[in-house]
Protein backbone atom coordinates (compact mmCIF):
# COMPACT_ATOMS: atom_id res chain seq x y z
CA UNK A 1 0.00 0.00 0.00
CA UNK A 2 1.17 3.53 -0.71
CA UNK A 3 0.48 7.12 0.16
CA UNK A 4 -1.75 9.39 -1.90
CA UNK A 5 -0.18 9.74 -5.38
CA UNK A 6 1.52 13.01 -6.21
CA UNK A 7 -0.85 15.39 -7.91
CA UNK A 8 -3.99 13.80 -6.46
CA UNK A 9 -6.83 16.21 -5.76
CA UNK A 10 -8.67 14.09 -3.19
CA UNK A 11 -9.71 15.79 0.04
CA UNK A 12 -9.24 14.35 3.52
CA UNK A 13 -12.93 13.42 3.57
CA UNK A 14 -12.38 11.40 0.39
CA UNK A 15 -9.06 9.90 1.38
CA UNK A 16 -8.30 6.56 -0.24
CA UNK A 17 -5.74 3.87 0.42
CA UNK A 18 -3.57 3.31 -2.64
CA UNK A 19 -2.45 -0.15 -3.67
CA UNK A 20 -0.03 -1.44 -6.26
CA UNK A 21 -1.56 -3.42 -9.16
CA UNK A 22 0.79 -6.33 -8.43
CA UNK A 23 -0.08 -6.44 -4.73
CA UNK A 24 -1.67 -9.76 -3.77
CA UNK A 25 -4.44 -10.77 -3.82
CA UNK A 26 -4.98 -8.50 -6.85
CA UNK A 27 -4.38 -10.55 -10.02
CA UNK A 28 -2.57 -8.90 -12.94
CA UNK A 29 -2.70 -10.63 -16.33
CA UNK A 30 -1.85 -9.97 -19.97
CA UNK A 31 1.85 -9.25 -19.46
CA UNK A 32 3.79 -12.55 -19.64
CA UNK A 33 7.14 -10.95 -18.77
CA UNK A 34 5.97 -8.73 -15.91
CA UNK A 35 7.57 -10.95 -13.26
CA UNK A 36 11.02 -10.42 -14.80
CA UNK A 37 10.75 -6.91 -16.29
CA UNK A 38 8.38 -5.23 -13.82
CA UNK A 39 6.65 -3.18 -16.53
CA UNK A 40 3.26 -3.32 -18.23
CA UNK A 41 4.58 -4.64 -21.54
CA UNK A 42 3.41 -7.44 -23.81
CA UNK A 43 6.85 -8.61 -24.99
CA UNK A 44 10.16 -8.76 -23.10
CA UNK A 45 12.23 -5.60 -22.67
CA UNK A 46 15.43 -7.39 -23.57
CA UNK A 47 14.39 -9.83 -26.25
CA UNK A 48 16.86 -12.45 -27.38
CA UNK A 49 15.45 -11.81 -30.86
CA UNK A 50 15.80 -8.46 -32.69
CA UNK A 51 12.17 -7.34 -32.79
CA UNK A 52 10.93 -5.24 -35.73
CA UNK A 53 10.73 -1.55 -34.68
CA UNK A 54 6.94 -1.35 -34.96
CA UNK A 55 6.51 -4.48 -32.85
CA UNK A 56 9.00 -3.23 -30.24
CA UNK A 57 7.17 0.10 -29.99
CA UNK A 58 3.65 -1.27 -29.83
CA UNK A 59 4.62 -3.99 -27.35
CA UNK A 60 4.48 -1.25 -24.71
CA UNK A 61 0.80 -0.62 -25.45
CA UNK A 62 -1.19 -2.39 -22.76
CA UNK A 63 -3.94 -4.04 -24.86
CA UNK A 64 -5.36 -7.08 -23.10
CA UNK A 65 -4.00 -6.23 -19.67
CA UNK A 66 -6.43 -6.89 -16.83
CA UNK A 67 -6.69 -6.48 -13.09
CA UNK A 68 -9.06 -8.80 -11.23
CA UNK A 69 -10.00 -8.96 -7.56
CA UNK A 70 -12.91 -8.93 -5.13
CA UNK A 71 -13.48 -6.12 -2.66
CA UNK A 72 -16.15 -4.62 -0.46
CA UNK A 73 -14.82 -1.11 -1.07
CA UNK A 74 -17.53 1.44 -1.84
CA UNK A 75 -15.10 3.34 -4.04
CA UNK A 76 -12.45 2.50 -6.59
CA UNK A 77 -10.16 5.04 -8.24
CA UNK A 78 -7.11 4.81 -10.48
CA UNK A 79 -4.09 7.07 -10.59
CA UNK A 80 -2.51 6.73 -14.03
CA UNK A 81 0.60 7.90 -15.87
CA UNK A 82 0.59 7.24 -19.61
CA UNK A 83 3.29 7.50 -22.26
CA UNK A 84 1.42 10.41 -23.85
CA UNK A 85 -2.02 11.97 -24.40
CA UNK A 86 -4.68 10.79 -26.83
CA UNK A 87 -3.66 11.44 -30.44
CA UNK A 88 -5.64 9.14 -32.79
CA UNK A 89 -8.10 10.60 -35.28
CA UNK A 90 -10.19 7.46 -35.74
CA UNK A 91 -10.21 5.91 -32.25
CA UNK A 92 -11.85 7.33 -29.12
CA UNK A 93 -9.47 8.42 -26.36
CA UNK A 94 -11.41 6.18 -23.98
CA UNK A 95 -10.25 3.15 -25.97
CA UNK A 96 -6.76 4.37 -26.74
CA UNK A 97 -5.85 5.71 -23.28
CA UNK A 98 -8.63 4.75 -20.86
CA UNK A 99 -9.54 1.96 -18.48
CA UNK A 100 -12.96 0.41 -18.02
CA UNK A 101 -14.56 -1.59 -15.23
CA UNK A 102 -16.75 -4.72 -15.22
CA UNK A 103 -18.51 -6.16 -12.19
CA UNK A 104 -20.07 -9.52 -11.46
CA UNK A 105 -19.07 -13.18 -11.28
CA UNK A 106 -17.61 -15.19 -14.18
CA UNK A 107 -20.22 -15.75 -16.82
CA UNK A 108 -22.26 -12.75 -15.70
CA UNK A 109 -19.87 -9.80 -15.86
CA UNK A 110 -21.51 -6.52 -16.74
CA UNK A 111 -19.98 -3.26 -17.86
CA UNK A 112 -19.99 -0.59 -15.15
CA UNK A 113 -17.89 2.47 -16.06
CA UNK A 114 -15.17 4.04 -18.19
CA UNK A 115 -12.36 6.41 -17.22
CA UNK A 116 -13.29 10.08 -17.78
CA UNK A 117 -10.50 12.67 -17.83
CA UNK A 118 -9.12 15.55 -19.88
CA UNK A 119 -7.92 13.85 -23.04
CA UNK A 120 -5.02 16.26 -23.50
CA UNK A 121 -3.50 14.89 -20.27
CA UNK A 122 -1.13 11.95 -19.95
CA UNK A 123 -1.44 11.78 -16.14
CA UNK A 124 -4.91 11.45 -14.68
CA UNK A 125 -6.87 10.24 -11.68
CA UNK A 126 -10.36 8.82 -12.17
CA UNK A 127 -13.09 7.20 -10.13
CA UNK A 128 -14.54 4.02 -11.61
CA UNK A 129 -16.75 2.94 -8.71
CA UNK A 130 -18.74 4.97 -6.19
CA UNK A 131 -21.44 3.09 -4.30
CA UNK A 132 -23.15 3.81 -1.01
CA UNK A 133 -23.30 0.18 0.03
CA UNK A 134 -20.27 -1.79 1.16
CA UNK A 135 -20.56 -5.36 -0.13
CA UNK A 136 -18.19 -7.82 -1.77
CA UNK A 137 -17.99 -7.35 -5.55
CA UNK A 138 -16.00 -9.16 -8.22
CA UNK A 139 -14.19 -6.56 -10.37
CA UNK A 140 -12.31 -6.68 -13.67
CA UNK A 141 -10.40 -3.60 -14.89
CA UNK A 142 -9.25 -3.52 -18.53
CA UNK A 143 -6.10 -1.61 -19.50
CA UNK A 144 -5.82 0.94 -22.37
CA UNK A 145 -5.49 -0.54 -25.85
CA UNK A 146 -3.10 1.87 -27.56
CA UNK A 147 -0.90 3.56 -24.95
CA UNK A 148 1.85 2.53 -22.56
CA UNK A 149 0.93 2.67 -18.88
CA UNK A 150 4.02 3.92 -17.04
CA UNK A 151 2.55 3.98 -13.51
CA UNK A 152 -0.69 2.79 -11.94
CA UNK A 153 -2.16 2.83 -8.42
CA UNK A 154 -5.55 1.54 -7.24
CA UNK A 155 -7.43 3.60 -4.67
CA UNK A 156 -9.85 1.83 -2.30
CA UNK A 157 -11.56 2.63 1.00
CA UNK A 158 -8.95 2.39 3.78
CA UNK A 159 -10.82 -0.35 5.61
CA UNK A 160 -11.76 -2.31 2.50
CA UNK A 161 -11.20 -6.04 2.32
CA UNK A 162 -9.54 -7.38 -0.83
CA UNK A 163 -9.86 -11.02 -1.87
CA UNK A 164 -8.55 -13.04 -4.84
CA UNK A 165 -10.81 -13.19 -7.89
CA UNK A 166 -12.76 -16.36 -8.70
CA UNK A 167 -10.64 -18.97 -10.50
CA UNK A 168 -10.36 -19.02 -14.26
CA UNK A 169 -11.74 -21.92 -16.28
CA UNK A 170 -8.18 -22.68 -17.43
CA UNK A 171 -4.84 -22.06 -15.76
CA UNK A 172 -2.99 -21.03 -18.95
CA UNK A 173 -3.88 -18.08 -21.20
CA UNK A 174 -4.98 -17.91 -24.80
CA UNK A 175 -2.36 -16.04 -26.84
CA UNK A 176 -3.75 -14.03 -29.78
CA UNK A 177 -1.23 -12.73 -32.34
CA UNK A 178 -2.20 -10.31 -35.06
CA UNK A 179 -2.69 -6.77 -36.28
CA UNK A 180 -4.22 -3.48 -35.17
CA UNK A 181 -7.61 -5.19 -35.22
CA UNK A 182 -6.37 -7.82 -32.78
CA UNK A 183 -4.89 -5.05 -30.65
CA UNK A 184 -8.31 -3.45 -30.40
CA UNK A 185 -8.39 -0.70 -33.00
CA UNK A 186 -10.82 1.02 -32.95
CA UNK A 187 -12.90 0.01 -29.91
CA UNK A 188 -14.51 2.84 -27.95
CA UNK A 189 -13.24 1.39 -24.66
CA UNK A 190 -10.89 -1.47 -23.75
CA UNK A 191 -13.52 -4.02 -22.77
CA UNK A 192 -14.83 -4.04 -26.34
CA UNK A 193 -11.68 -5.44 -27.98
CA UNK A 194 -12.64 -8.89 -29.20
CA UNK A 195 -10.00 -10.61 -27.04
CA UNK A 196 -11.44 -8.94 -23.93
CA UNK A 197 -14.98 -9.91 -24.91
CA UNK A 198 -13.86 -13.52 -25.33
CA UNK A 199 -12.00 -13.38 -22.02
CA UNK A 200 -15.27 -12.48 -20.26
CA UNK A 201 -17.38 -15.00 -22.12
CA UNK A 202 -14.97 -17.90 -21.64
CA UNK A 203 -13.56 -16.93 -18.22
CA UNK A 204 -10.02 -17.35 -19.57
CA UNK A 205 -6.98 -15.04 -19.51
CA UNK A 206 -5.88 -13.67 -22.89
CA UNK A 207 -2.49 -12.35 -23.91
CA UNK A 208 -3.18 -9.82 -26.66
CA UNK A 209 -0.24 -9.71 -29.08
CA UNK A 210 -1.82 -7.57 -31.76
CA UNK A 211 0.61 -5.00 -33.15
CA UNK A 212 -0.76 -2.10 -35.16
CA UNK A 213 0.79 -2.26 -38.63
CA UNK A 214 3.38 -4.70 -37.31
CA UNK A 215 1.68 -8.10 -37.19
CA UNK A 216 3.45 -9.53 -40.23
CA UNK A 217 4.37 -13.03 -39.13
CA UNK A 218 8.12 -12.53 -38.79
CA UNK A 219 9.98 -15.63 -37.51
CA UNK A 220 11.80 -13.64 -34.82
CA UNK A 221 8.44 -12.58 -33.37
CA UNK A 222 7.24 -16.19 -33.56
CA UNK A 223 10.27 -17.32 -31.56
CA UNK A 224 9.59 -14.78 -28.81
CA UNK A 225 5.94 -15.79 -28.64
CA UNK A 226 6.93 -19.46 -28.56
CA UNK A 227 9.01 -18.75 -25.44
CA UNK A 228 5.84 -18.20 -23.41
CA UNK A 229 6.02 -21.35 -21.29
CA UNK A 230 2.40 -22.48 -21.18
CA UNK A 231 -0.63 -21.53 -23.29
CA UNK A 232 -4.10 -22.97 -23.78
CA UNK A 233 -4.35 -21.84 -27.41
CA UNK A 234 -2.52 -19.77 -30.02
CA UNK A 235 -4.73 -17.66 -32.30
CA UNK A 236 -3.02 -16.41 -35.49
CA UNK A 237 -4.98 -13.47 -36.90
CA UNK A 238 -2.44 -11.48 -38.91
CA UNK A 239 -3.68 -11.67 -42.50
CA UNK A 240 -4.66 -7.99 -42.55
CA UNK A 241 -0.98 -6.96 -42.46
CA UNK A 242 0.07 -9.46 -45.14
CA UNK A 243 0.01 -9.83 -48.87
CA UNK A 244 -0.71 -13.20 -50.44
CA UNK A 245 2.99 -13.56 -51.23
CA UNK A 246 4.24 -12.66 -47.74
CA UNK A 247 1.75 -14.99 -46.11
CA UNK A 248 2.99 -17.89 -48.23
CA UNK A 249 6.46 -17.28 -46.79
CA UNK A 250 5.55 -16.53 -43.17
CA UNK A 251 2.60 -18.70 -42.13
CA UNK A 252 4.14 -22.19 -42.49
CA UNK A 253 7.31 -21.07 -40.69
CA UNK A 254 5.37 -19.28 -37.93
CA UNK A 255 3.36 -22.44 -37.27
CA UNK A 256 6.50 -24.61 -37.39
CA UNK A 257 8.21 -22.42 -34.76
CA UNK A 258 5.20 -22.52 -32.43
CA UNK A 259 4.76 -26.24 -32.87
CA UNK A 260 8.43 -26.96 -32.15
CA UNK A 261 8.08 -25.34 -28.71
CA UNK A 262 4.46 -26.35 -27.99
CA UNK A 263 3.89 -29.75 -29.54
CA UNK A 264 0.37 -30.24 -28.17
CA UNK A 265 -0.97 -26.68 -27.78
CA UNK A 266 -3.87 -26.01 -30.16
CA UNK A 267 -3.35 -23.42 -32.91
CA UNK A 268 -6.29 -21.60 -34.52
CA UNK A 269 -5.60 -19.75 -37.78
CA UNK A 270 -8.19 -17.04 -38.45
CA UNK A 271 -8.61 -15.36 -41.83
CA UNK A 272 -9.50 -11.69 -41.95
CA UNK A 273 -12.85 -9.94 -41.93
CA UNK A 274 -14.24 -8.31 -45.05
CA UNK A 275 -13.48 -4.63 -45.67
CA UNK A 276 -15.81 -1.95 -46.99
CA UNK A 277 -13.69 -1.60 -50.14
CA UNK A 278 -14.83 -5.04 -51.25
CA UNK A 279 -18.32 -3.72 -52.05
CA UNK A 280 -16.91 -1.99 -55.15
CA UNK A 281 -13.51 -3.62 -55.63
CA UNK A 282 -13.57 -7.08 -57.14
CA UNK A 283 -9.78 -7.44 -56.94
CA UNK A 284 -9.91 -6.87 -53.15
CA UNK A 285 -12.42 -9.71 -52.82
CA UNK A 286 -10.31 -12.00 -54.99
CA UNK A 287 -7.12 -11.16 -53.08
CA UNK A 288 -8.71 -11.84 -49.70
CA UNK A 289 -10.15 -15.08 -51.01
CA UNK A 290 -6.73 -16.24 -52.17
CA UNK A 291 -5.16 -15.51 -48.79
CA UNK A 292 -8.03 -17.22 -47.02
CA UNK A 293 -7.64 -20.30 -49.20
CA UNK A 294 -3.89 -20.48 -48.54
CA UNK A 295 -4.41 -20.36 -44.79
CA UNK A 296 -7.10 -23.05 -44.97
CA UNK A 297 -4.94 -25.25 -47.20
CA UNK A 298 -1.93 -24.82 -44.90
CA UNK A 299 -3.96 -25.97 -41.91
CA UNK A 300 -5.54 -28.86 -43.79
CA UNK A 301 -2.11 -29.95 -45.00
CA UNK A 302 -0.75 -30.06 -41.46
CA UNK A 303 -3.81 -31.94 -40.24
CA UNK A 304 -3.39 -34.47 -43.05
CA UNK A 305 0.22 -34.90 -41.91
CA UNK A 306 -0.97 -35.80 -38.41
CA UNK A 307 -1.25 -32.50 -36.49
CA UNK A 308 -4.74 -32.83 -35.03
CA UNK A 309 -4.38 -29.73 -32.84
CA UNK A 310 -4.39 -27.13 -35.60
CA UNK A 311 -7.63 -25.54 -36.83
CA UNK A 312 -8.83 -22.98 -39.38
CA UNK A 313 -11.57 -20.38 -38.99
CA UNK A 314 -12.89 -18.54 -42.04
CA UNK A 315 -13.37 -14.95 -40.91
CA UNK A 316 -15.18 -13.83 -44.06
CA UNK A 317 -18.64 -13.61 -42.47
CA UNK A 318 -17.73 -12.63 -38.90
CA UNK A 319 -19.21 -9.14 -39.34
CA UNK A 320 -22.39 -10.37 -41.04
CA UNK A 321 -24.08 -9.35 -44.27
CA UNK A 322 -23.89 -5.66 -43.35
CA UNK A 323 -20.16 -5.84 -42.71
CA UNK A 324 -19.71 -2.39 -44.24
CA UNK A 325 -21.59 -0.89 -41.26
CA UNK A 326 -19.26 -2.43 -38.67
CA UNK A 327 -16.07 -0.39 -39.04
CA UNK A 328 -14.78 3.11 -38.33
CA UNK A 329 -12.83 3.53 -41.55
CA UNK A 330 -13.70 0.54 -43.71
CA UNK A 331 -11.12 -1.67 -41.98
CA UNK A 332 -11.06 -1.27 -38.18
CA UNK A 333 -14.13 -2.52 -36.33
CA UNK A 334 -16.40 -0.46 -34.16
CA UNK A 335 -17.74 -1.96 -30.93
CA UNK A 336 -20.48 -3.59 -33.03
CA UNK A 337 -17.86 -5.16 -35.26
CA UNK A 338 -15.83 -6.48 -32.33
CA UNK A 339 -18.93 -7.91 -30.67
CA UNK A 340 -19.81 -9.76 -33.85
CA UNK A 341 -16.25 -11.05 -34.19
CA UNK A 342 -16.28 -12.36 -30.62
CA UNK A 343 -19.69 -13.99 -31.04
CA UNK A 344 -18.52 -15.69 -34.21
CA UNK A 345 -15.26 -16.92 -32.73
CA UNK A 346 -16.59 -18.00 -29.35
CA UNK A 347 -18.08 -21.38 -30.36
CA UNK A 348 -14.91 -22.40 -32.22
CA UNK A 349 -12.59 -21.34 -29.40
CA UNK A 350 -14.84 -22.94 -26.80
CA UNK A 351 -14.84 -26.28 -28.65
CA UNK A 352 -11.04 -26.27 -28.78
CA UNK A 353 -10.15 -25.25 -25.24
CA UNK A 354 -13.26 -26.14 -23.21
CA UNK A 355 -14.51 -29.39 -24.78
Amino acid sequence: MSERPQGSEETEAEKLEWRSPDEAPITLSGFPWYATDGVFRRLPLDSAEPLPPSVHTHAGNTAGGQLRFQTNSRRLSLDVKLSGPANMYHMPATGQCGFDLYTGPPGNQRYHSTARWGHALEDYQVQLLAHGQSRMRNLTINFPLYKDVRKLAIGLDPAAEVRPPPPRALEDPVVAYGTSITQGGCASRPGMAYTNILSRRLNVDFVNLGFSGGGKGEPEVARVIASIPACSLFILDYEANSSAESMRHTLPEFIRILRAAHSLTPILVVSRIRTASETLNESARVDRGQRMAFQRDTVEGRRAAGDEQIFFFDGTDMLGEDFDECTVDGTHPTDLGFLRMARSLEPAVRRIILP
Side-chain angles (χ1 to χ4, degrees):
M1 286 175 269
S2 61
E3 298 297 323
R4 177 171 59 91
Q6 185 177 2
S8 170
E9 296 180 355
E10 61 177 331
T11 67
E12 286 300 315
E14 298 169 330
K15 188 173 182 180
L16 299 171
E17 189 172 80
W18 294 91
R19 300 170 183 256
S20 172
D22 58 2
E23 178 182 326
I26 296 170
T27 297
L28 173 67
S29 62
F31 308 110
W33 288 270
Y34 185 87
T36 54
D37 292 343
V39 293
F40 306 119
R41 183 176 165 85
R42 298 178 292 152
L43 292 178
L45 277 174
D46 296 317
S47 172
E49 299 285 340
L51 294 175
S54 179
V55 173
H56 176 78
T57 298
H58 284 96
N61 297 169
T62 55
Q66 290 185 345
L67 294 169
R68 297 187 303 117
F69 56 97
Q70 299 182 84
T71 183
N72 60 356
S73 181
R74 295 173 295 107
R75 298 171 296 159
L76 183 150
S77 292
L78 299 178
D79 194 81
V80 181
K81 181 176 179 61
L82 300 173
S83 55
N87 60 358
M88 296 176 72
Y89 75 92
H90 63 333
M91 183 172 181
T94 45
Q96 183 190 9
C97 307
F99 291 77
D100 65 11
L101 172 67
Y102 281 74
T103 67
N108 194 30
Q109 289 181 295
R110 304 305 295 266
Y111 165 74
H112 182 77
S113 61
T114 303
R116 299 171 63 184
W117 78 102
H119 295 165
L121 302 175
E122 57 189 70
D123 296 5
Y124 64 82
Q125 189 178 122
V126 294
Q127 187 172 67
L128 292 180
L129 177 68
H131 200 283
Q133 183 181 8
S134 176
R135 63 179 179 83
M136 194 60 63
R137 299 178 178 87
N138 184 56
L139 306 179
T140 299
I141 301 169
N142 295 297
F143 276 70
L145 298 171
Y146 267 77
K147 279 294 178 184
D148 302 14
V149 175
R150 300 287 169 80
K151 292 183 181 179
L152 177 64
I154 305 164
L156 302 174
D157 292 336
E161 181 182 359
V162 180
R163 298 178 185 173
R168 288 300 207 184
L170 296 171
E171 181 178 352
D172 300 323
V174 173
V175 176
Y177 169 72
T179 67
S180 55
I181 296 172
T182 315
Q183 186 172 338
C186 293
S188 68
R189 53 183 179 80
M192 292 310 295
Y194 84 76
T195 59
N196 283 337
I197 298 173
L198 287 173
S199 177
R200 290 193 298 278
R201 288 173 173 260
L202 299 169
N203 188 29
V204 174
D205 285 330
F206 269 68
V207 175
N208 183 318
L209 296 181
F211 302 107
S212 182
K216 298 181 179 181
E218 299 96 337
E220 56 269 34
V221 178
R223 286 190 286 270
V224 174
I225 295 173
S227 72
I228 298 174
C231 312
S232 293
L233 170 69
F234 291 106
I235 296 175
L236 303 185
D237 175 26
Y238 73 91
E239 180 193 335
N241 282 169
S242 301
S243 65
E245 180 180 1
S246 68
M247 181 149 277
R248 283 194 293 271
H249 290 293
T250 61
L251 183 62
E253 179 66 2
F254 205 104
I255 293 171
R256 186 197 68 78
I257 291 169
L258 292 183
R259 185 54 80 224
H262 298 266
S263 60
L264 299 178
T265 302
I267 299 172
L268 177 64
V269 177
V270 179
S271 69
R272 71 168 299 170
I273 58 176
R274 285 186 283 184
T275 62
S277 64
E278 293 184 31
T279 57
L280 298 176
N281 188 337
E282 175 66 21
S283 65
R285 292 196 295 274
V286 171
D287 182 59
R288 183 182 52 74
Q290 291 174 343
R291 285 176 288 173
M292 183 275 292
F294 174 76
Q295 292 171 92
R296 180 197 61 213
D297 293 346
T298 299
V299 169
E300 290 180 354
R302 288 197 64 98
R303 289 185 65 86
D307 187 349
E308 297 181 353
Q309 290 301 308
I310 188 166
F311 307 89
F312 174 71
F313 187 93
D314 182 355
T316 300
D317 295 323
M318 279 197 285
L319 299 186
E321 293 184 3
D322 52 350
F323 62 93
D324 52 310
E325 296 284 18
C326 295
T327 70
V328 171
D329 53 5
T331 300
H332 296 91
T334 59
D335 291 357
L336 173 62
F338 279 125
L339 184 62
R340 290 184 177 181
M341 288 182 70
R343 285 176 172 171
S344 296
L345 283 166
E346 181 185 356
V349 175
R350 186 180 292 276
R351 283 193 298 270
I352 295 169
I353 64 174
L354 298 170

